[in-house]
Amino acid sequence: MVTLNVNGVRHEVQAPDDTPLLYVLRNDLHLVGPQFGCGLAQCGACAVLIDGKEVRSCITAISSVGNQEITTLEGLPARWAKQKGLSAEDAKNTLHPVQQAWIEEQTPQCGFCQNGMMIKATELLESNPQPSLAQIKEAFTTSGVSPNLCRCGTYVAIIESVKHAAEIMAKGR
């Protein structure tokens, strides 16, 4: 049995130690944000935050996570609410600024990769609240295990959404 801390909730999971975290998130915890894309950590669709760092959950064994905090796309609003010190009542109606920006910029096309794009954007903006265009491009292409891939080619919209999310975060909304 493995204990995982996902989106602020502790879960006891019965699975072999080498089970990919993605499988547990989707099949046992029924979280549908992380997607199975390539299964080789080459596309980013399965990305989650582990202690604030973007990790490809398709190649991450559950035994390697330990007591670290796992945040999925579903957990971003609560993460933001906690960072801003919002009340539980206010937190219920709050989106993470990255999610809000993605909606306002109408970023997704098919949407399959957007989980990884929003997780990567969150990691970037939490470490660099005002990234330059070059830093945004670097975050999505060369800073991680491999680039975050979008088959629909929404890269320009993603860049605009990251900039918009940075503005929202700066205002503290």
Side-chain angles (χ1 to χ4, degrees):
M1 180 172 305
V2 175
T3 302
L4 298 173
N5 188 5
V6 181
N7 299 330
V9 178
R10 296 185 69 76
H11 299 273
E12 302 287 331
V13 178
Q14 288 284 353
D17 287 349
D18 62 347
T19 303
L21 177 60
L22 176 64
Y23 296 0
V24 171
L25 294 173
R26 289 189 61 86
N27 300 336
D28 297 310
L29 305 183
H30 307 290
L31 297 169
V32 296
Q35 301 292 317
F36 183 89
C38 65
L40 301 169
Q42 294 181 347
C43 71
C46 66
V48 298
L49 294 173
I50 297 182
D51 284 348
K53 301 297 288 181
E54 184 245 357
V55 172
R56 306 292 165 91
S57 65
C58 68
I59 62 162
T60 302
I62 58 172
S63 61
S64 69
V65 178
N67 290 326
Q68 299 176 92
E69 173 64 35
I70 302 164
T71 304
T72 67
L73 184 64
E74 293 88 345
L76 290 182
R79 183 180 181 88
W80 176 249
K82 184 178 178 183
Q83 290 169 345
K84 300 311 293 178
L86 298 178
S87 69
E89 190 62 34
D90 289 339
K92 289 180 186 174
N93 300 317
T94 300
L95 286 175
H96 190 283
V98 168
Q99 294 169 313
Q100 183 180 342
W102 248 248
I103 293 168
E104 291 175 1
E105 296 290 332
Q106 299 181 7
T107 305
Q109 287 190 10
C110 84
F112 193 81
C113 69
Q114 298 303 312
N115 167 74
M117 299 298 184
M118 287 188 273
I119 291 292
K120 183 53 117 175
T122 301
E123 177 194 50
L124 170 64
L125 294 172
E126 286 183 357
S127 65
N128 181 357
Q130 296 295 322
S132 66
L133 176 60
Q135 290 168 325
I136 295 170
K137 288 181 177 179
E138 179 185 336
F140 287 92
T141 56
T142 60
S143 72
V145 177
S146 65
N148 288 65
L149 302 177
C150 175
R151 291 182 181 168
C152 301
T154 61
Y155 299 110
V156 172
I158 289 167
I159 291 169
E160 292 304 314
S161 293
V162 172
K163 292 178 183 175
H164 187 67
E167 293 169 2
I168 295 169
M169 291 172 87
K171 293 176 184 173
R173 295 188 279 168

